[in-house]
């Protein structure tokens, strides 16, 4: 029997990030300047991002070395464990083998610090001493607050207002790491004031908070903007997950038939899946499954189109699956999956048939989360529970077909700050939001005038 935990020594921490752009059959289309409709160049992005990250964004080099000071910090919690879910398998009665990579062991409780540390490092290298960002449920904000603290930078977080009030302890966590946190929409930016003027009770959204953080960073020479998902360099930094998992699966004497992750903007999914998709492109047969909420079904119901990354239309135009930049998803508990777009790299891979997607309702997702908790012990983040549900459904489908599969999923974070969501589920108060096609079409009208992908 395989061991329950497959652990790697610190010496096995990856030395390079894997850049899938170098291997993709079709490279993503360029990001466009909304004013000119022309591809954005490094100079357009320089006010927001350090040049090293801009170069990573457009790089077609296979592998990029991870700076030693970044690895030194990653070693605080990496390599992360890979688990064989023996007890989950038993409780499902499945013949399939289920493995999961657990990213909840980072100090912030998710995969997000993998890129936060790299982004803070390059910003500091370039002489900026402050970072501005947005956060939904607080996972990304706490990751960046941690990274800034460890590297000696100031950190300003625009936190979606509804989460600011619902998740006071995520805010305390960011403040304990020295960050300054404000509820978004705020009075501190033009974008925030414009929203509040129209709707003083606005609960905020990730799209609005991004507008505020981008405006903050663009207006100050000492400040860079940091994004926790979607962009190529963010996905790149997460590939330590999949590289470790490849080595750990080998130690376990197994190789996955199915690789699964939840998708908000796409960073944890990419982190696990891209090193395996490298094998798939080279000829291995692997089913790669992206799991998203039915309330925000970007990959399963949104078209592939150019769209803004934010509500305030401050970002460049990004080629991606999207529900439209002013789509406001229903208030599901998986706050980190409530984003209207998905990373261009993943969108292109879906378009090219290398990745497929499924969407789930939150009650079925929480049912699988509770089954998982009851067998494996870990209380998963509601976002990660979408991947658990994908794995459970895959195992049950294999049993029905009479086949045995090896399934690997990413458990991107723990849910210790999400207990209100579990309260709601256990009390039978969780709503499954049906998303009418009319609402999708209404939101998509906003992208009608924008350029179309080739
Ligand atoms: C635990 C966890 N998983 C997944 C996500 C979704 O983000 P991404 O798709 O970039 O991994 C988040 C976002 O906040 C998160 O906190």
């Amino acid at each position: 029997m395989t061991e329950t935990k497959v652990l790697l020594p610190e010496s096995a921490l990856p030395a390079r990030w894997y850049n899938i752009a170098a291997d993709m059959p079709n490279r993503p289309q360029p990001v466009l300047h909304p004013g000119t409709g022309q591809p954005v160049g490094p100079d357009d992005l320089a006010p927001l991002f350090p040049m090293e990250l801009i170069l990573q964004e457009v790089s077609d080099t296979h592998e990029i070395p991870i700076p030693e000071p970044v690895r030194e910090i990653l070693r605080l919690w990496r390599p992360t464990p890979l688990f064989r879910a023996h007890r989950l398998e038993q409780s499902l009665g499945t013949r399939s083998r289920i493995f999961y990579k657990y990213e909840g062991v980072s100090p912030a409780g998710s995969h997000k610090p993998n890129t936060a540390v790299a982004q803070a490092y390059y910003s500091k290298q370039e002489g900026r001493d402050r970072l501005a960002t947005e956060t939904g449920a607080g996972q990304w904000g706490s990751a960046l607050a941690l990274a800034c603290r460890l590297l000696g930078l100031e950190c300003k977080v625009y936190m979606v207002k509804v989460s600011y009030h619902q998740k006071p302890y995520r805010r305390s966590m960011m403040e304990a790491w020295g960050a300054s946190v404000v509820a978004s929409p705020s009075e501190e930016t033009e974008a925030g004031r414009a929203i509040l003027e129209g709707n003083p009770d606005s609960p905020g959204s990730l799209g609005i908070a991004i507008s505020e953080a981008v405006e903050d960073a663009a207006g100050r020479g000492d400040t860079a903007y940091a994004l926790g998902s979607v962009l190529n360099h963010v996905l790149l930094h997460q590939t330590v997950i999949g590289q470790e998992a490849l080595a750990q699966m080998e130690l376990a004497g197994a190789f996955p038939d199915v690789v699964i992750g939840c998708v908000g903007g796409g960073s944890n999914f990419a982190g696990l899946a891209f090193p395996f998709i490298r094998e798939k492109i080279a000829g291995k047969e692997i089913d790669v499954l992206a799991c998203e909420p039915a309330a925000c079904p970007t990959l399963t119901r949104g078209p592939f189109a150019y769209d803004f990354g934010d509500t305030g239309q401050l970002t460049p135009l990004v080629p991606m699956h999207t529900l439209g930049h002013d789509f406001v998803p229903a208030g599901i508990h998986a706050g980190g999956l409530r984003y209207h777009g998905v990373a261009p790299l993943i969108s292109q891979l879906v378009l090219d048939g290398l990745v497929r997607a499924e969407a789930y309702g939150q009650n079925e997702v929480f049912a699988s989360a509770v089954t998982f908790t009851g067998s494996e012990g870990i209380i998963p983040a509601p976002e990660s529970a979408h991947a658990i549900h994908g794995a459970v459904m895959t195992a049950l489908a294999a049993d029905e077909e009479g086949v045995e599969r090896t399934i690997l999923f990413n458990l991107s974070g723990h849910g210790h700050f999400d207990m209100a969501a579990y309260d709601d589920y256990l009390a039978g108060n969780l709503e499954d939001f049906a998303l009418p096609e009319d609402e999708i079409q209404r939101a998509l009208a906003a992208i009608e005038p924008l350029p179309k992908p080739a």
Side-chain angles (χ1 to χ4, degrees):
M1 191 155 107
T2 317
E3 301 228 301
T4 300
K5 291 190 300 304
V6 184
L7 304 172
L8 293 175
E10 283 178 21
S11 58
L13 179 71
R16 291 159 182 279
W17 291 302
Y18 167 56
N19 180 18
I20 200 168
D23 286 332
M24 286 167 67
N26 295 299
R27 292 287 303 271
Q29 305 198 29
V31 168
L32 302 181
H33 191 290
T36 63
Q38 294 303 307
V40 297
D43 291 346
D44 297 313
L45 297 172
L48 290 182
F49 300 106
M51 193 48 71
E52 205 54 47
L53 293 177
I54 296 172
L55 295 176
Q56 290 179 3
E57 194 61 24
V58 296
S59 169
D60 51 17
T61 311
H62 262 100
E63 294 187 338
I64 296 174
I66 307 176
E68 197 42 49
V70 172
R71 295 180 80 227
E72 192 247 321
I73 292 180
L74 294 183
R75 271 195 283 269
L76 288 172
W77 67 94
R78 302 207 75 85
T80 60
L82 178 90
F83 286 84
R84 169 81 187 269
H86 288 298
R87 293 176 56 91
L88 176 65
E89 291 168 19
Q90 282 158 17
S91 98
L92 296 175
T94 182
R95 292 164 51 193
S96 287
R97 297 192 289 179
I98 304 178
F99 293 84
Y100 59 96
K101 180 77 167 153
Y102 185 40
E103 289 294 306
V105 295
S106 81
S110 78
H111 63 296
K112 298 277 179 183
N114 295 331
T115 181
V117 172
Q119 293 190 47
Y121 169 78
Y122 288 118
S123 301
K124 184 172 178 176
Q125 282 284 99
E126 210 170 84
R128 307 205 205 189
D129 48 28
R130 181 174 173 273
L131 284 176
T133 198
E134 69 291 329
T135 195
Q139 285 272 23
W140 166 242
S142 32
L144 196 71
L146 164 75
C148 284
R149 182 72 194 175
L150 295 177
L151 284 154
L153 294 158
E154 268 184 67
C155 182
K156 172 75 180 234
V157 182
Y158 294 86
M159 183 173 189
V160 175
K161 191 183 279 172
V162 58
S163 301
Y164 183 91
H165 294 299
Q166 270 174 4
K167 304 214 170 171
Y169 296 127
R170 271 278 167 208
R171 172 168 51 78
S172 315
M173 200 175 182
M174 291 185 257
E175 289 171 350
W177 279 318
S180 146
V181 186
V182 65
S184 165
S186 77
E187 292 287 352
E188 296 188 21
T189 64
E190 267 180 41
R193 287 190 293 272
I195 299 279
L196 289 173
E197 209 169 283
N199 177 10
D201 298 324
S202 166
S205 73
L206 217 43
I208 294 169
I210 294 175
S211 301
E212 291 207 89
V214 166
E215 183 185 325
D216 176 319
R220 290 179 59 154
D222 65 345
T223 302
Y225 169 65
L227 189 66
S229 192
V230 180
L231 298 178
N232 301 352
H233 67 264
V234 180
L235 276 53
L236 175 83
H237 300 155
Q238 293 293 353
T239 58
V240 288
I241 302 174
Q243 293 182 66
E244 289 175 6
L246 266 168
Q248 287 162 312
M249 291 299 285
E250 197 175 331
L251 280 177
F255 192 86
D257 302 304
V258 193
V259 172
I260 299 174
C262 67
V263 172
S267 71
N268 87 88
F269 170 81
L272 178 69
F274 283 4
F276 286 93
I277 296 177
R278 180 187 212 173
E279 306 287 321
K280 183 169 179 167
I281 292 169
K284 276 247 167 63
E285 218 173 281
I286 314 174
D287 179 20
V288 186
L289 173 62
C291 305
E292 62 182 12
C296 190
T298 317
L299 288 171
T300 48
R301 292 175 70 188
F304 181 79
Y306 271 111
D307 195 6
F308 291 98
D310 68 323
T311 308
Q313 309 186 6
L314 295 177
T315 71
L317 295 172
V318 182
M320 60 181 178
H321 281 277
T322 178
L323 294 163
H325 53 267
D326 64 4
F327 176 76
V328 179
I332 55 167
H333 281 290
L337 306 186
R338 293 178 68 235
Y339 181 63
H340 67 272
V342 166
L345 288 171
I346 295 172
S347 296
Q348 184 67 47
L349 291 165
V350 169
L351 210 58
D352 291 342
L354 286 161
V355 171
R356 70 185 176 91
E358 287 181 354
Y360 310 128
Q362 59 176 350
N363 274 299
E364 54 179 335
V365 163
F366 271 90
S368 289
V370 167
T371 302
F372 179 84
T373 299
S375 48
E376 296 295 312
I378 297 169
I379 296 181
E383 291 85 0
S384 322
H386 287 72
I388 295 175
H389 187 62
V392 167
M393 298 303 285
T394 303
L396 297 181
D399 291 336
E400 221 157 83
E401 278 174 56
V403 296
E404 218 169 278
R405 295 215 166 88
T406 300
I407 298 164
L408 168 64
F409 73 88
N410 201 13
L411 189 63
S412 52
H414 67 64
H416 298 176
F417 294 86
D418 300 285
M419 296 320 294
Y422 282 88
D423 270 354
D424 274 353
Y425 171 69
L426 295 172
N429 291 336
L430 270 198
E431 225 181 299
D432 274 322
F433 300 93
L435 176 59
E437 189 57 29
D438 286 3
E439 169 52 17
I440 295 184
Q441 292 311 322
R442 185 208 61 76
L444 286 174
I447 64 169
E448 210 27 63
L450 301 177
K452 304 281 176 283

